[in-house]
Structures are given as C-alpha cells and as structure tokens.
Amino acid sequence: MKKDMTRRDFIKLSALGLGASLSACSETITWDDLFQKKFQEMKPDEIKRFLKKLEDRYSKKYGKTFTVKATPPQENVVFGYGLDLSRCIGCRRCVYACVGENNPSRDVQIHWIRVLRMKKGEFNLEKTEPYYDADKVPEDGYFYLPVQCQQCENPPCVKVCPVKATWKEPDGIVVIDYNWCIGCRTCMAACPYRARKFNWNDPVLPKDEINTDTHYLGNRPRMKGVVEKCTFCIQRSREGKYTACVEVCPVGARKFGNLLDPKSDIRYILDNFRVFRLKEDLNTESKFYYFFSLG
Amino acid sequence: MNNKTTEYIKIFLKELFYVLFSGGRYFYIWMSSLTLFAAAGVWFYLRQFDEGLVFTNMREQVSWGLYISNFTFLVGIAAAAVILIIPAYLHHSKELKKIVVLGELLAVTAVTAALLFVFADMGRPDRLWHAIPGIGTLNFPRSILAWDMLVLNSYLFLNFFTALYIGAHRYFGLEPDKRIALPLILISIPMAVGIHTVTAFVYNGLAARPFWNASILAPRFLASAFCSGPALMIILFQVLRKFTDFKIESRAIFKIAEIMVYAMALNLFLMLTEVFKEYYSNTIHLAPMQYLFTGLHGHHNLVPFIWTAIAFDVTAFFIFLVPWTRMNFKTLNLGCVLVFIGIWIEKGMGLIIPGFIPDALGEIYEYTPSLHEGVISIGIWAVGCMLYTLFVRFIVAVDTGRLRHPSAPPIIHEEKETVTAQDIMTTRIISVKHDTPISRISDILVSNRISGVAVVDKEKKVIGVVSEEDIIFKEIRNDPKLVERLGGTILPETSKDRVFEGNIASDIMTSPAVTALEGTPLSELITAIITDKKTKRIIIVDKEGHASGIVSMIDVVKALEKV
Amino acid sequence: MMEGFNKHVGVALLTVLAVMLFPVSALIVSGADMEYSFDSPKVFSSEMFPCSACHAGMKADSTRRTLAYHTEIQLKGHGETRMWCFGCHNAGDRDKLKLAGGEKVDFMELHRLCGQCHENIYKHWRAGIHGKRTGYWDGPKRYFLCTFCHNPHSPRFKPLAPKPVPLRPTETLRGRK
C-alpha cells in the first residue's frame, strides 16, 4: 500500500518535473508510455500502430525520417558467428562500424564491442587491456580478443530478468524490448561477457551520424534507464545481410552465417577449424566461436 | 456510517495526530533532523529520476553499488527482527512476547527501506508495474529476483498486518485472537529465513560472478543478519526504555545478546572458510578477494574498510562472549555499534563491490559512491528512522493506554507488575481419576519424578491431591512391622487422625485440594505454602476448577531467584 | 582493304570495351561459378593495360635490379629471395600470368596462381571464408580477387592506426576534450 502511494506520487511529481524540464535530449514520458503494453503481447495491428508512433516520435526528435521495422525471424535460421583470432589486429574498426550502425549513446559512451589486448603466451581474462593506445596495430607480442554479446543458447541474462524484458528469438538472437525493461541491471550482473550495456542517461546521438533504418528489437534509438546490447545487427541479418562488424573488418577476421545451413561460412569453420568459446565451463552455449586459421 | 462511528474516528485521528507528532524537545530535534535528511534525499532523487543514474558512480563495469549494498544489509535487519519470536513463542518467554510487536515493526521498516533502495536503483521506476504478476509479466519462477520481490512484499504485508492486528485489538482493549495472531507470528519465522535466503540466491545464482557464486552465501547472510539486526534492537530497546513508558526487562536484552554470540561466531567462521578456500586453491577467482583484503594491481580502496570491519566484528564477538562485558550496558552497547557497522561494511559494500572487481572481462574500475548516492542513501535511512519512530509511538501509546478507544475498559497495570501463579507454575500436571489404584499412582510418581498428582472427577474438576506423603503414610499405617524396620517413624500430627484404608485414590487423597486461581500473586502463594496450610504444593486451577498447573516449593524457589 | 579496316575497327572496339569493362566493379566469370569483384587500378588502368603495348617491343631482362620504370613495385616479403618477376609474370606475353607448370592464366584468374603456393588459403577462399565479407549471407556470395586486398608484390598488410581508445568509465567526451 505504501509503495503504491510512492509510485503514484513519483509519477505525478515526475510528470510535473518532466513537463517543466525543457531539455531537448530528455525524453518526455507521456501517459501512454506509462501503461504501454508489452510488445510480445501486441496483436499485429497494434504493433503496426505502435511502430508508426515510434517512427513519428523519432523523426520528430531527430529531424530525419525513421523506419522502425519488426521483421520476424526467418525459418530454419540460427545465427552463428566466427572470429579468427589469428587475424584480428585490434584496429577497432568493428567497434566504430557498430556504433555507426546501431545508434548507441556517445556520452555516456556505449560500445557494444570491446576489443581486449592480451599478451601472447597466455589466455587469461583477468589480464586484459581494453584501453591500449598504439600508433599502429598489431603491436608486437600481443594478440587481440574482441568481445560482444555471444547470443548464448542458454543465456544467463534471460533467466534472471524479473519482467521477461529479454528473451531468445527463434533465430538465436537474444533481444531486449527496450520499452519493457525496468533497468534493474540484474542481467548485467548475470552476463559473464559484460556484453550488456546500460543507458545511464538519455542517449546522446549526433544528428549527422544517426542510422534511420531501424528494427524495434535492435538499433532503434533507446532511452535512459534501459539495457542494450549487440543483436547481430538484427535489422540487417533478418534481411539476409551481414552485420556491420563483419563487413568492415579489413582483415576478414569475422564470419557470420546460418548454423543450420551446412553450406554456410560458419558451418565450414566449425567443420574445419578447432573452435572454442569463452568461458565454456559456464555452460552458456554461446554461438560466438573463436578460432585460429593461421598459426 | 452512523454519527457515533464518525465521532470515534475523529477522536482516533486527533489522538493519533498528537501521539505521532507531538512530544518532548528531543523528539522534535530528532524528527526535524530526519526530515531534513529525507528532504535532501528526495531532492537529489528527483534530479536522478529526471536525468538518469548517470549521477551515480555506477558504470558498465560496476553496475550495482551503494543502493544495492544498503538493500542487502536491510533485508538482513528485517529477517533478524524475527529473532525475538523464536524464544518468545517457542520457549514461552513472557517478557519477550511483549516486545515481539516492536520487532515486527522493525521488520516492516527495514523491508520498506530496502524496497526504497531498490526503487532508487532502478533505471525505470515508472515501469515498476511490469513486475506485478497478472498486470505485468513477472518472470516467476525462473528469475530469483522475481521470487525476492514476492517474498519481500509478502513479508512486509505479513508483519504489517500482524502488528496492525495486535495494535488495533489493544486499542479496543481486546485480546487478539490467538488463532489468527499466533499462526501469523509463527509463519514469519520461516518467512524471515526465506527472505534472506532468496536475497542471497539472487547473488548466489550468478555464475558470472565467482565472488558470489558460492554456496556459503546464504548461510553467511543469515549469520550476519542475526548479528546486525539484534544489535540494532538492543540499542532501540534501551532508547525505548528511556524515552517511553514501555517496560523492557534487562533480562530480555541479555537473552538477545546471548543468542547473538552464536550468530557472531558462525559469521566469523564462515568468513574464515571462504577466505581459506580462495587463498589456498589460488585460482583466478581469488582476484576479487585479493582486491578486498590486500588490493589488486595497485587498487586498494576497500582494504582499510574490510579490515576495520573484521576488527569490529572480532572485538564485538569477544565483548558478547564474555558474560562480564555482555551484561554491562556500556560495553554491550559498544559491541552493538561495532558489530552493526562491521556487518554493514562486510555485507554491504564489502560484498557487492568486489563482485564486480575485476569485472567479467578482467577490468578493474574502482567504484566509490557519488554525492548523489550518498545523500539519497542517507535520506532513505532517515525515512526508515522516521517511520520506526512513528510506529513505536503508536504502539507504545496503544500499549500504555494513552491511545485507547473511548469505550474500551481501562488497562489494569498491576497485572504487569506482579508475578502471579501463572508465571511460575509448572504447566505439566498429571491428574488421576478418583478410582485409580494406589499402586498405579505410585508408579506414576516414581516414573515421572513428581511429588503429587491431582485427583479429578468426571468433569475434570480438581477434587483432591494424592502426594508421596499420603502413600508413605498409608503403607506405614497399614504395616506396623514396617515401622519397626524403618527404626520407628514419627508421624506428623496432621496425619494421625487420617484413615488410610482402601486401595484407590479417593481413599487416601487430601480433600479438598489446596488450589489457587491463575492470577494469584506470588506473595499469596508463598504465604499459603509456608505459613498457613503447610502444604508442599498448590494446584493452580482456572475459573471452572480445571487444573492448569502446579506450584510447589521448588517453583517458588525458582521464582524468587528470578525476581 | 575493307576487311582489314573492319578488323582494325573490331580490335579497336574490343580494346575500348575491354578498357571500359575492367574498372567496373562486378564481373561474372563462368567456370568457377563465382561472382568476382575487384579493383586494382594501377595495373588495369588505361595507362597500364595492355602491358604488351610497351613490352612487346622490349627485350625480357631477368636480372635482379632496381627497376627503372615500375619504381613503385617493390617485391618485399613475397619470396623475393626465391623469385623474380618472371616467377609469376610471362616474359613472352606480359598480358597474362604464368603458373608454375608454364600454363598461362589471365589476370582475372590470378587466384589460381596465388593458390599454387597458398593452397590452404586458396581452399578457404573458394569456400568463402577467407578475407573480407560483404553483402548477403543469405544470397550469392561476393568474392574478392586476391589483389583487391593484397598488394601482389608486398601482400602482407601493413599495421594500421587503430581507432580511438574507448572512454574510461567516468570519463566523458567533454572531459576528454
């Protein structure tokens, strides 16, 4: 009972407070938003209207025409990813290609991909360096391990979410409904790969770098207080395209494809190279395979 | 609603207002300062609500901080409030029964404050309704956090309802119905263990955090809860004794302190086992513990804190262990403060932060709380203190009769001050029927090691007593040779006139039995036993004459020792 | 004479067509059933190709020396102690390359030449998992000729300047500037 009053009070206070605040970056929470139904429970026509509403809102906010799709998964597709550690040179082009494609906040900075530099001769995740700053890469004596969401088949983040705001789609991508997330960050504590990121404030997106071709569960602009992460570029992969990180890699270290197709790139890798997954002992059954094609 | 009820409600509200908001100088200073802190907390929170958690120092690397540390600690306090219920109801400790309600209200306050910390930590508090089962989509039973939400709210409701139930009854001068109150109170014991176990499981179940992914976490939580919660209560009860009419006996306080020794020993032992396991096995998972105890790669912010906490815990343990320091209020209070702060450090920041350092990818980000987090946290603690103050004022007023329904009977204060038969009697009384054979009675006396049995009629009313003397005298009377064998016995005067013929209880019993009502004061009982009737035992009966207990010499000796 | 003229016109037209087609990014080559895309401007620009335009009249000189004209071509890190130009290039016909057995291959099929020594990589490339990937996982694969990424005379990638370091946890963009 007491909590009820607190919530109502805060909603009233916040409505007043937000109404009074004129920050262009701050998202106004309307009455509709407060009681928005869960996306998974919406009927097709509701979804259509909802997506249109979002498109209008984004277009208005950023001054560009947005599309927000809700492309469903393809049949008989489960995505897998391959990363050739003998080739990665740590140039971070994948990190910034992802930023350009997926609209994360620049301040507080969110990078969905994190490249870790490690010393040759060991593979110790306690001794990594993400802030390496060299004139040229690769540096002598080091190798590089890029980490992003591993799209686990047995995801610990999905298990712990108290409101079912995150789940695994049939094509294997673990997605988040940004409008349902309550921002408790238990999923962030549960992820062994630090793949999940949080919007500590309203995302700051430079208007000239915004990608307006978006997916509801993927790269549409987020809001403060919600969790986000790599979605294997759901807006691209569900239309048959490669992800942004795969395309930009200048040394071809990244591979992507359909695990259920025996002729796909990723299946060739699984058949011909010895692969491993990070923290395999945690039984997450990640679909992000690391391998070494050269020495 | 008729006029009389409206009148009563008006009177109640007016009285309540005075009870809650008027008091002495210290009361006003206390409440005003708390209001200031709470207001500051609210002000800072509004900023955080508007712009986001960016005002905290939590980031991707350390995504839980001061708020969740406080939450964890407060759940422990809430669980430990129940420590009073176990001795009170399971061991019939009457003095603790009275203060059980205070413990329940502490549980309510602690859970409320804990939930406020969760609220403060949420990214989207406006979406809290997503977690309500039926309206939102609560991920029950897969998500342990969902369990925690259910269990904490149930515990809150349970304790609040019970306290309100008892309080309301006392307001109307009625006795709470034991059939409702007792089950509610007893259920809160497993629930208290439940809330803290489930909260432990929230951390425990995260394989990504090796520092928490240890089975020992739930037992550690419970052990530390039973150190910190009662420590707070001991201090609170002394404050209550001083500033209100509430009477809490020192005996009760020392009893709580005694129980705490075991909890403290367990807490230290469990900590030791954890430290051994990590340091001896020396795997990669030692890193968070190293960060905490000795620093890691040049980062050592938490090291002085954890060692302070350990020093406090150990000192407090010895203070509580040694009876001389435990039963001395100066040292006892010092011990309470030490253990409270110590547990706050090791269970709050000392548990949550190292869970994220180093993080899942080996990075070390030394989190320290920001100003916002500090002010908001203090604000929530202030709200908790205010809440408890108001609760206590309400209960004390109701209990002492200051807040009472106009048509309720006045409180009889004498009952509280004197020891009555009911307080000292042995409740286990064996009765026999009037036609029970004497040989059977002998067996009963010998095998139960008692000195007498009550004799009851068909309606179970007491009609007499058969004691060991009656049996001996019968034997001796009927067997003169026995007298010679025993070397001659001098029979007491009273029995010379008695006839000991026959073989059943009614033949040798003393009738009418010496009885007393349950409410008879101790002084009268002593008089009866020692001076008047020269009886060694008195059967305590209820208003209908049924036996409810027995007071014999040894019970009197025990009572005198306690008083 | 008309025939001769037509022949010249035909050759000229073909040459113009060939010159126009080569800089175009996508070309379909039958046989290997693959779609190629390559861009190697220096070699195939209209200034350079066809090579025989200059070399037909020159004598082939296989001595190891610093080249007078093709100064930008430095054979480095690609078997320069074991081979010289004519290990891959055809002394007689500069418009084609030469396999180890002597067979002439077109520049458009130079993967067959590279694949002789780099067999593993060639195998992976044919399967589609070597090198850059763009386009559709769910469609025809897009292949890049070796020289799209690798300089044939110095194929090893040079170290790149990495993109900016990520911000530290409580660093802000404003703070950094």
Side-chain angles (χ1 to χ4, degrees):
Chain A
M1 280 84 71
K2 242 178 174 63
K3 235 162 39 74
D4 235 7
M5 263 190 359
T6 319
R7 172 163 65 89
R8 248 185 273 131
D9 279 344
F10 269 120
I11 288 174
K12 284 197 203 126
L13 272 168
S14 74
L16 283 169
L18 285 173
S21 95
L22 296 167
S23 163
C25 291
S26 174
E27 184 192 326
T28 330
I29 302 173
T30 65
W31 194 251
D32 269 356
D33 293 338
L34 283 173
F35 299 103
Q36 188 68 61
K37 201 172 173 185
K38 193 168 188 216
F39 183 74
Q40 276 180 309
E41 292 171 1
M42 288 184 192
K43 297 191 202 55
D45 56 316
E46 281 181 297
I47 291 179
K48 236 170 142 178
R49 271 180 284 132
F50 182 48
L51 293 180
K52 183 79 182 44
K53 182 172 96 167
L54 288 174
E55 281 174 359
D56 290 339
R57 189 181 284 179
Y58 289 137
S59 305
K60 196 165 152 204
K61 185 171 175 181
Y62 297 105
K64 293 181 168 181
T65 320
F66 264 77
T67 36
V68 181
K69 299 170 285 199
T71 321
Q74 288 185 30
E75 294 265 322
N76 295 319
V77 171
V78 172
F79 292 114
Y81 208 106
L83 201 136
D84 191 345
L85 285 178
S86 57
R87 295 190 187 279
C88 177
I89 54 171
C91 68
R92 294 197 184 110
R93 274 154 177 73
C94 49
V95 177
Y96 289 94
C98 170
V99 166
E101 172 68 30
N102 290 299
N103 298 324
S105 175
R106 307 308 199 256
D107 193 7
V108 174
Q109 185 189 72
I110 294 180
H111 283 169
W112 287 358
I113 302 174
R114 201 158 183 86
V115 183
L116 305 172
R117 186 187 71 183
M118 290 162 73
K119 237 196 178 114
K120 282 187 181 167
E122 57 186 19
F123 198 94
N124 189 342
L125 281 173
E126 296 283 326
K127 296 186 187 168
T128 60
E129 178 54 77
Y131 302 108
Y132 60 92
D133 193 9
D135 289 325
K136 295 268 193 246
V137 284
E139 302 158 277
D140 268 334
Y142 294 102
F143 69 99
Y144 301 88
L145 180 80
V147 181
Q148 62 210 69
C149 176
Q150 312 271 293
Q151 313 293 354
C152 308
E153 272 296 288
N154 188 12
C157 55
V158 168
K159 197 164 56 174
V160 297
C161 176
V163 293
K164 298 191 196 169
T166 184
W167 64 90
K168 190 179 64 171
E169 285 271 299
D171 57 356
I173 305 179
V174 178
V175 297
I176 302 167
D177 182 354
Y178 308 117
N179 280 49
W180 198 253
C181 174
I182 60 172
C184 70
R185 309 189 298 291
T186 312
C187 58
M188 287 175 75
C191 177
Y193 309 107
R194 232 189 74 199
R196 298 177 78 106
K197 321 288 173 176
F198 187 71
N199 285 284
W200 301 98
N201 56 357
D202 247 338
V204 171
L205 303 181
K207 293 218 156 81
D208 53 334
E209 290 176 32
I210 294 179
N211 180 3
T212 56
D213 185 16
T214 69
H215 190 286
Y216 179 80
L217 296 169
N219 64 335
R220 66 180 174 107
R222 276 73 68 190
M223 60 292 288
K224 74 166 188 274
V226 301
V227 171
E228 59 179 60
K229 66 176 188 66
C230 163
T231 55
F232 276 179
C233 281
I234 198 171
Q235 67 278 1
R236 297 173 62 102
S237 51
R238 283 192 173 171
E239 288 171 14
K241 298 183 198 156
Y242 281 109
T243 66
C245 48
V246 165
E247 289 214 338
V248 82
C249 179
V251 296
R254 289 170 169 267
K255 308 293 167 205
F256 182 78
N258 179 8
L259 285 167
L260 299 180
D261 174 10
K263 297 210 288 280
S264 65
D265 293 350
I266 186 64
R267 282 288 289 269
Y268 185 91
I269 289 168
L270 294 183
D271 287 335
N272 290 286
F273 298 105
R274 298 292 75 77
V275 303
F276 73 93
R277 294 172 289 188
L278 289 180
K279 305 198 187 188
E280 191 125 21
D281 52 311
L282 296 183
N283 234 5
T284 55
E285 303 204 22
S286 118
K287 297 197 286 291
F288 201 100
Y289 296 92
Y290 292 91
F291 64 101
F292 299 88
S293 70
L294 301 175
Chain B
M1 239 196 293
N2 59 19
N3 282 336
K4 211 166 183 202
T5 323
T6 341
E7 256 319 297
Y8 283 147
I9 291 176
K10 274 198 210 149
I11 296 173
F12 170 72
L13 288 173
K14 194 169 157 204
E15 284 181 6
L16 183 69
F17 182 82
Y18 277 117
V19 160
L20 293 183
F21 297 115
S22 68
R25 190 165 57 121
Y26 287 121
F27 176 70
Y28 284 126
I29 295 174
W30 172 244
M31 292 299 269
S32 313
S33 5
L34 288 179
T35 312
L36 268 167
F37 284 121
V42 169
W43 174 256
F44 275 75
Y45 180 75
L46 286 176
R47 275 199 83 198
Q48 184 189 281
F49 184 81
D50 190 37
E51 293 228 25
L53 287 161
V54 65
F55 285 126
T56 69
N57 274 346
M58 293 186 279
R59 290 291 182 268
E60 187 178 307
Q61 291 82 351
V62 178
S63 47
W64 278 339
L66 188 63
Y67 297 145
I68 299 297
S69 307
N70 276 303
F71 161 76
T72 316
F73 180 71
L74 281 166
V75 173
I77 302 281
V82 88
I83 197 176
L84 298 173
I85 299 181
I86 302 173
Y89 281 89
L90 301 186
H91 300 286
H92 300 288
S93 171
K94 196 151 190 255
E95 60 267 352
L96 287 179
K97 268 190 194 163
K98 284 186 260 182
I99 50 181
V100 156
V101 163
L102 290 175
E104 281 173 357
L105 288 170
L106 182 64
V108 169
T109 312
V111 174
T112 308
L115 292 173
L116 283 176
F117 271 111
V118 170
F119 191 80
D121 185 67
M122 279 172 72
R124 297 301 300 226
D126 55 307
R127 296 182 186 173
L128 194 59
W129 65 272
H130 291 181
I132 300 175
I135 307 174
T137 53
L138 188 70
N139 190 6
F140 185 86
R142 283 202 90 200
S143 162
I144 304 297
L145 194 62
W147 279 82
D148 213 12
M149 289 179 177
L150 286 176
V151 159
L152 280 173
N153 281 293
S154 314
Y155 186 74
L156 174 68
F157 179 71
L158 178 76
N159 278 294
F160 188 67
F161 179 76
T162 313
L164 201 67
Y165 180 80
I166 294 176
H169 274 79
R170 289 197 193 161
Y171 174 75
F172 287 106
L174 303 165
E175 268 303 300
D177 188 348
K178 279 213 173 82
R179 288 171 306 176
I180 296 177
L182 199 62
L184 286 177
I185 291 169
L186 289 178
I187 280 177
S188 57
I189 300 174
M191 280 218 74
V193 174
I195 62 167
H196 219 19
T197 308
V198 172
T199 306
F201 282 174
V202 171
Y203 308 117
N204 200 352
L206 301 178
R209 308 275 157 212
F211 188 64
W212 300 337
N213 191 221
S215 330
I216 213 174
L217 205 67
R220 261 194 83 184
F221 267 35
L222 285 164
S224 55
F226 287 130
C227 301
S228 51
L232 180 64
M233 279 190 279
I234 288 177
I235 307 259
L236 277 175
F237 291 155
Q238 288 172 70
V239 169
L240 284 172
R241 271 202 313 199
K242 186 157 182 209
F243 287 101
T244 70
D245 308 325
F246 222 64
K247 287 192 175 27
I248 300 158
E249 298 183 29
S250 302
R251 210 174 353 147
I253 294 179
F254 295 140
K255 186 140 217 114
I256 298 173
E258 234 181 276
I259 298 171
M260 276 171 73
V261 178
Y262 297 109
M264 285 166 135
L266 189 63
N267 185 44
L268 287 169
F269 177 68
L270 292 176
M271 199 196 301
L272 199 69
T273 56
E274 286 238 82
V275 168
F276 168 78
K277 179 243 184 184
E278 291 300 351
Y279 273 93
Y280 192 80
S281 319
N282 202 5
T283 67
I284 213 178
H285 296 155
L286 174 59
M289 200 167 270
Q290 266 181 314
Y291 172 70
L292 186 59
F293 286 107
T294 54
L296 187 65
H297 303 318
H299 301 275
H300 41 240
N301 275 0
L302 283 182
V303 173
F305 288 99
I306 192 65
W307 286 107
T308 309
I310 290 173
F312 281 7
D313 284 348
V314 170
T315 312
F317 172 65
F318 282 110
I319 290 177
F320 276 72
L321 182 68
V322 174
W324 183 79
T325 43
R326 182 172 71 239
M327 307 222 251
N328 171 337
F329 276 108
K330 283 206 186 69
T331 43
L332 178 70
N333 289 339
L334 174 68
C336 287
V337 169
L338 289 180
V339 78
F340 190 81
I341 295 175
I343 304 278
W344 188 90
I345 294 174
E346 57 140 314
K347 191 174 181 178
M349 295 279 282
L351 175 81
I352 302 299
I353 309 308
F356 293 99
I357 298 177
D359 73 12
L361 297 180
E363 190 178 336
I364 295 178
Y365 162 53
E366 282 214 278
Y367 160 87
T368 47
S370 69
L371 177 70
H372 270 77
E373 288 174 280
V375 173
I376 292 172
S377 300
I378 291 175
I380 295 176
W381 275 96
V383 167
C385 293
M386 282 169 77
L387 200 61
Y388 195 66
T389 310
L390 295 177
F391 278 151
V392 160
R393 287 188 75 90
F394 173 75
I395 280 293
V396 166
V398 159
D399 224 49
T400 52
R402 206 183 132 205
L403 188 67
R404 202 163 177 81
H405 194 269
S407 56
I411 295 180
I412 307 160
H413 286 278
E414 299 83 69
E415 276 175 18
K416 288 208 179 98
E417 286 167 38
T418 46
V419 182
T420 60
Q422 200 174 27
D423 297 329
I424 64 168
M425 69 187 184
T426 307
T427 46
R428 190 165 162 262
I429 174 163
I430 299 181
S431 20
V432 299
K433 290 202 267 250
H434 72 100
D435 54 358
T436 310
I438 292 172
S439 47
R440 174 88 188 104
I441 299 176
S442 306
D443 288 335
I444 292 172
L445 292 180
V446 169
S447 55
N448 288 290
R449 289 202 239 227
I450 51 178
S451 61
V453 291
V455 183
V456 296
D457 63 9
K458 284 191 214 63
E459 286 93 54
K460 294 256 192 295
K461 289 203 191 142
V462 176
I463 52 174
V465 175
V466 172
S467 67
E468 50 199 8
E469 299 95 357
D470 297 324
I471 295 182
I472 294 172
F473 299 146
K474 178 197 177 302
E475 292 297 322
I476 289 174
R477 277 278 186 212
N478 296 341
D479 186 358
K481 286 219 182 68
L482 188 58
V483 180
E484 281 173 40
R485 268 189 272 144
L486 291 171
T489 321
I490 299 170
L491 295 168
E493 290 298 313
T494 50
S495 58
K496 274 206 178 111
D497 315 313
R498 291 185 64 190
V499 180
F500 289 99
E501 301 296 328
N503 296 312
I504 57 174
S506 45
D507 294 334
I508 63 167
M509 70 184 181
T510 311
S511 185
V514 179
T515 59
L517 287 170
E518 284 167 345
T520 313
L522 180 62
S523 40
E524 273 187 47
L525 295 170
I526 294 174
T527 318
I529 289 182
I530 304 293
T531 34
D532 290 350
K533 309 267 170 64
K534 291 205 175 117
T535 332
K536 282 165 68 179
R537 66 200 65 74
I538 303 176
I539 309 286
I540 307 298
V541 295
D542 61 14
K543 291 189 209 67
E544 285 90 50
H546 300 133
S548 59
I550 188 165
V551 171
S552 59
M553 297 276 250
I554 190 69
D555 296 306
V556 172
V557 170
K558 273 196 234 169
L560 289 170
E561 186 216 337
K562 275 192 218 172
V563 171
Chain C
M1 203 155 126
M2 277 298 277
E3 279 179 35
F5 179 73
N6 283 341
K7 198 165 87 177
H8 283 299
V9 166
V11 168
L13 272 171
L14 273 172
T15 317
V16 166
L17 267 172
V19 162
M20 273 167 47
L21 278 173
F22 279 133
V24 166
S25 26
L27 274 170
I28 306 204
V29 174
S30 61
D33 204 33
M34 294 187 287
E35 190 184 305
Y36 286 122
S37 160
F38 66 84
D39 186 28
S40 230
K42 241 348 185 337
V43 177
F44 292 112
S45 64
S46 50
E47 322 164 350
M48 285 290 145
F49 198 84
C51 311
S52 52
C54 295
H55 284 275
M58 286 185 193
K59 210 172 66 170
D61 181 359
S62 62
T63 42
R64 225 174 254 272
R65 64 194 185 282
T66 312
L67 299 171
Y69 186 68
H70 292 291
T71 48
E72 74 288 350
I73 296 179
Q74 302 280 328
L75 191 63
K76 204 174 162 96
H78 201 195
E80 62 268 25
T81 51
R82 297 187 292 278
M83 304 189 300
W84 194 234
C85 313
F86 299 123
C88 297
H89 286 280
N90 238 325
D93 181 359
R94 297 307 173 89
D95 294 333
K96 292 231 192 294
L97 295 165
K98 178 184 84 182
L99 292 183
E103 185 190 338
K104 286 192 205 168
V105 288
D106 207 86
F107 275 100
M108 294 298 292
E109 286 190 316
L110 55 79
H111 51 281
R112 291 176 61 202
L113 169 60
C114 309
Q116 287 178 115
C117 296
H118 303 283
E119 199 195 317
N120 249 357
I121 289 182
Y122 182 46
K123 190 175 75 176
H124 297 154
W125 180 81
R126 285 175 67 97
I129 64 129
H130 176 88
K132 202 163 171 64
R133 271 263 149 260
T134 59
Y136 292 82
W137 61 266
D138 187 21
K141 291 196 206 239
R142 194 171 172 215
Y143 288 85
F144 296 94
L145 216 52
C146 315
T147 48
F148 186 92
C149 299
H150 297 280
N151 180 339
H153 306 113
S154 173
R156 201 186 196 116
F157 289 145
K158 308 288 173 292
L160 293 175
K163 293 282 180 191
V165 183
L167 293 176
R168 293 275 193 317
T170 41
E171 232 183 315
T172 59
L173 280 173
R174 276 165 277 151
R176 195 177 256 191
K177 281 177 191 141

